[in-house]
Structure formats: C-alpha cells, structure tokens
C-alpha cells in the first residue's frame, strides 16, 4: 500500500493530460504510465515478430510497435494484430497508403506525422481510415528528421523547432476534428529532448509518449534514458514510455519498468534491494542477486526483496521489504518476513528458500482484494 501520504517527498504530481485509447489500453489521464517497445524482426516474418511481441508482453510491455515499410508488411500486420496479446502500433513513414492499410489491418494506433504524408486529401483519407477503424495516432517528432522550413528558420535542431513541428502536426489533426492522438518529441541529446518535452507539456494537453531516441547500447542507453526520462517523469511529464536501445526489445521493456519502478510510478515483479557487497559480506551477494533476478522473473506481483551482505545495513533494509535476507556468520544468514526477523537459513539453501518465500508472499498478495493492492499501481 502506498505510504506517500506520510512521505510527501516521494510524491510525483502528474501533468494532467487527456486520455486516449490505444486499443484496449488507456494512455494519459490517470491511466498507469505504459511501457512500450518495438519489434526489430522483419514484419513479413509473422512468426518471428509474434514471438518477439509475446516475449515483450511477458516481460511487461503494454503496447508494441511494429514497422510497416511496405504493402507486404501491412498484409502481415493483419495476422500479427489478430494473434498479439497487446495492442499494436503501426509505424508509418511518409507513405499514406501504408497508414490506411495498417488502420484497416487492425492496428490500434498509427505512428505517423500528418505533415509528412502529402496533400490535404491524403491526410483526410488516413484520418478517415483511423476513425473508421477505431485507431488512434501518435505524432512522432524527431530532432533528426525535422522539416526543412523549421531547420531553415532555427538553423539547427533545437527544442523550439521540435515543439513547433509537433504543434504543426497537431493542428492538422485538429483541423480534421481528430483528437485521439498522443505525441512524442525525441532527440538522442538528453538536454534537447528534456527541454522539448517540457515545452510540449505546457503547449498541449495531449498524452505524451516519452523517449530518448537512439540512446545507445544496453548500458549507456539505459543510463541516458534513465537520466532523460527519469527527470521528466519526476516532473510529472510522460504518459507512456519507450526506451530505445540497440538491444533485444525485451531489455527495453525491463529497463522501462525499472525506470518507472525506481520512481514509484509503476510496480511489477520483485524489486530487489541489494548492497554492492564488500569484505564484510556473509555470502556472495553479487552471484546471489544475479541468480535470484533470473529465478524470480516469473513473478509479476509487485513486491520487494532485500539481499544484503551483512548486518551493517541488512536489518534496516529488511524493515521496509516483504522478504529479506541478511548475511551473518558461520555460513548462514537471517530471513526477514514483512520487515520482521523470522528465522536463520544456511547460505547453501538460501536461494531455493528465498524463491519459495517470494512465491508464497506473491500468492498471498494476489489473494488480497484489489483495493488493498491497487494503490501500488
Ligand atoms: S551491507 Fe555489509 S556487505 Fe553489504 S556493502 Fe554494506 S558493509 Fe558490505
């Protein structure tokens, strides 16, 4: 249960945005901040794409984006949408026909910039297809592909140019009386993206899709995303997020969740609190945490586990976690349940034992009425 009323320094006041639907998933308003990723398989390879979508959904993805670069991909999309466990966003660039085909194929949302698809008539046709098929849209401004007239006006990509681009695309949709859209303004430069998102947050009430684009590999991209998106989320900006990594989409989902988890904005699975370890450790903390992360991947219930090397910080951390283990002497440590010292356990049986205790606690939390746990979401 959330204790933020007695810990006001943990509160984040979310920007008030209006809510849209991406298929069955609400985005914006008071809906939970959703986590997205994007497939990197050939869309025409339906089996491989669905496999990636399924793995991403298992890791917690609420929404998955799929590229639709050609007509064959739009055809494949129909099958993908039918089998997918989560709503699919079709990624469209320039070609308005792909947008219409994707909407007809059942995409829940089109990622498309209406200013880039040509004549007013074409824009109208895409909007009509979206409307007819219950499909929302995402305007995706990217510092790397700003319109020429804005680059000429501003001299180089900058937050003002990005926001102006976004507002121009918004106007086109509004002029066509289409309001089911969200918007992103991504840049690989953290400062530029953060400044652009802050301006955008003031300029529109549309739900905001956050992202630091082309952030890099798993480690560097995670850090960049956590700094950029973390700051914005902390300010209350962002209704849905995508971490862009040169890595498996499943990693993007995991990192996205970790960012939300560290800000208390979303909870899923076991939040492991562990010490870095040092000469005082009563067991191998690093190896244990690595193993437990793997062994506890299947737990979706929000809960916490502390794995601490010794009594310097162990009992204190265990006070605030559902299950805890603190290293001691003679090859054994102490197990804590619900913050209280419970029983001793030998190091060599500890992993199996902790997995059992966590599974037991998860089952117990799952059995509680929703009202007791929903505060955590
Ligand atoms: S909790 Fe103990 S083992 Fe872990 S880093 Fe601190 S002093 Fe070292």
């Amino acid at each position: 249960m959330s204790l933020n009323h007695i810990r006001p320094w943990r509160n984040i006041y979310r920007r008030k945005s209006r809510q849209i639907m991406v298929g069955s998933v609400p985005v914006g308003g008071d809906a939970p901040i959703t986590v997205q990723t994007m497939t990197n398989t050939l869309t025409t390879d339906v089996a491989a794409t669905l496999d990636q979508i399924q793995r991403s959904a298992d890791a917690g993805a609420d929404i998955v984006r799929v590229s639709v670069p050609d007509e064959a991909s739009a055809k494949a999309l129909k099958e993908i949408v039918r089998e997918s466990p989560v709503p699919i966003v079709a990624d469209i660039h320039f070609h308005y026909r792909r947008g219409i085909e994707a909407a007809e194929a059942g995409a829940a949302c089109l990622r498309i910039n209406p200013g880039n698809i040509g004549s007013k008539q074409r824009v109208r046709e895409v909007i009509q297809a979206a409307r007819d098929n219950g499909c929302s849209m995402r305007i995706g401004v990217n510092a790397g592909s700003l319109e020429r007239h804005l680059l000429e006006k501003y001299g180089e990509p900058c937050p003002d140019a990005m926001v102006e681009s976004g507002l121009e695309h918004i106007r086109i949709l509004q002029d066509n009386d289409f309001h089911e859209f969200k918007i992103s303004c991504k840049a690989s430069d953290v400062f530029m993206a953060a400044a652009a998102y802050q301006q955008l947050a003031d300029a529109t009430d549309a739900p905001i899709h956050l992202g630091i684009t082309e952030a890099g590999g798993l480690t560097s991209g995670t850090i960049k995303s956590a700094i950029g998106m973390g700051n914005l989320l902390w300010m209350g900006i962002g209704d849905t997020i995508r971490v862009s990594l040169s890595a498996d989409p499943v990693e993007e989902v995991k990192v996205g969740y970790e960012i939300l988890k560290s800000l208390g904005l979303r909870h899923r699975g076991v939040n492991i609190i562990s010490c870095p370890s040092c000469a005082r450790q009563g067991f191998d903390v690093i190896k244990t945490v690595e193993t437990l992360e793997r062994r506890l991947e299947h737990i979706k219930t929000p809960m916490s586990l502390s794995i601490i090397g010794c009594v310097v910080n162990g009992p204190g951390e265990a006070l605030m976690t559902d299950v805890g283990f603190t290293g001691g002497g003679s090859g054994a440590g102490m197990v804590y349940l619900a913050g209280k010292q419970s029983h001793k356990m030998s190091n060599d049986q500890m992993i199996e034992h902790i997995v059992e205790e966590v599974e037991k606690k998860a089952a117990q939390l799952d059995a509680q009425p929703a009202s007791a746990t929903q505060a955590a979401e």
Side-chain angles (χ1 to χ4, degrees):
M1 178 163 150
S2 169
L3 292 174
N4 286 10
H5 59 291
I6 57 162
R7 296 179 188 140
W9 33 269
R10 295 195 55 173
N11 284 330
I12 291 178
Y13 298 98
R14 273 179 73 187
R15 158 186 170 266
K16 290 203 183 339
S17 58
R18 60 192 160 74
Q19 191 170 90
I20 66 160
M21 296 301 289
V22 174
S24 55
V25 175
V27 174
D30 57 2
I33 297 171
T34 38
V35 176
Q36 308 200 20
T37 187
M38 185 169 181
T39 53
N40 57 20
T41 47
L42 276 177
T43 304
T44 44
D45 187 342
V46 173
T49 305
L50 275 171
D51 176 62
Q52 217 169 50
I53 293 170
Q54 186 63 57
R55 289 193 300 111
S56 302
D58 289 345
D62 302 291
I63 297 167
V64 175
R65 180 155 49 116
V66 173
S67 267
V68 185
D70 47 35
E71 204 179 337
S73 300
K75 282 210 176 88
L77 190 73
K78 197 167 189 175
E79 219 177 317
I80 292 167
V81 164
R82 201 172 48 227
E83 301 293 324
S84 170
V86 292
I88 297 295
V89 179
D91 194 80
I92 313 290
H93 284 272
F94 310 114
H95 208 296
Y96 85 109
R97 284 261 13 127
R98 300 291 91 77
I100 295 170
E101 288 160 7
E104 288 171 348
C109 179
L110 302 180
R111 187 272 187 201
I112 194 165
N113 288 347
N116 295 350
I117 51 178
S119 68
K120 283 187 176 162
Q121 178 54 29
R122 288 181 172 185
V123 171
R124 267 199 296 275
E125 283 180 45
V126 173
I127 291 174
Q128 193 55 46
R131 197 175 270 133
D132 291 348
N133 292 281
C135 189
S136 53
M137 287 193 197
R138 166 161 68 95
I139 294 168
V141 175
N142 197 312
S145 55
L146 282 171
E147 293 77 11
R148 187 172 302 149
H149 72 279
L150 291 171
L151 286 176
E152 278 164 12
K153 178 173 171 186
Y154 289 95
E156 61 173 12
C158 63
D160 286 349
M162 290 167 71
V163 173
E164 192 165 328
S165 169
L167 296 179
E168 283 176 6
H169 293 301
I170 285 181
R171 210 166 302 124
I172 295 173
L173 295 183
Q174 287 175 335
D175 286 349
N176 284 277
D177 202 21
F178 189 87
H179 307 281
E180 283 290 294
F181 64 87
K182 55 197 170 96
I183 181 161
S184 61
C185 56
K186 301 187 182 183
S188 57
D189 178 283
V190 172
F191 295 101
M192 201 189 302
Y197 271 115
Q198 284 175 71
Q199 285 186 31
L200 192 68
D202 289 339
T204 174
D205 68 347
I208 285 185
H209 167 118
L210 279 192
I212 303 297
T213 197
E214 290 120 24
L218 184 54
T219 304
S220 54
T222 296
I223 293 167
K224 242 178 163 179
S225 301
I227 291 173
M229 293 201 235
N231 268 300
L232 290 161
L233 289 163
W234 203 328
M235 286 178 221
I237 298 170
D239 300 291
T240 182
I241 68 170
R242 190 246 171 144
V243 174
S244 301
L245 299 176
S246 305
D248 190 312
V250 169
E251 299 296 336
E252 296 189 346
V253 177
K254 287 186 189 167
V255 172
Y257 256 99
E258 289 303 326
I259 292 174
L260 294 179
K261 265 157 92 171
S262 30
L263 289 168
L265 287 166
R266 197 84 195 263
H267 303 268
R268 178 184 198 273
V270 185
N271 186 18
I272 301 182
I273 287 126
S274 58
C275 77
S277 79
C278 73
R280 287 200 182 89
Q281 64 182 346
F283 62 101
D284 188 335
V285 175
I286 294 177
K287 224 193 233 155
T288 303
V289 171
E290 268 172 24
T291 310
L292 283 171
E293 275 181 348
R294 220 176 29 251
R295 293 284 309 270
L296 297 174
E297 260 180 359
H298 64 292
I299 305 281
K300 299 192 169 53
T301 315
M303 59 180 291
S304 53
L305 166 68
S306 55
I307 301 292
I308 308 289
C310 78
V311 291
V312 170
N313 288 327
E317 289 294 352
L319 257 183
M320 294 176 278
T321 49
D322 294 307
V323 178
F325 183 82
T326 297
S330 321
M334 184 59 69
V335 176
Y336 293 77
L337 298 176
K340 292 195 181 67
Q341 193 169 314
S342 176
H343 53 276
K344 271 192 157 184
M345 180 51 54
S346 68
N347 290 350
D348 49 2
Q349 290 172 41
M350 175 259 271
I351 294 209
E352 286 310 319
H353 186 68
I354 299 273
V355 171
E356 273 171 31
E357 290 292 352
V358 167
E359 285 174 343
K360 222 192 298 175
K361 182 73 191 177
Q364 193 188 324
L365 290 169
D366 288 345
Q368 283 178 6
S371 58
T373 50
Q374 72 189 12
E377 272 297 301

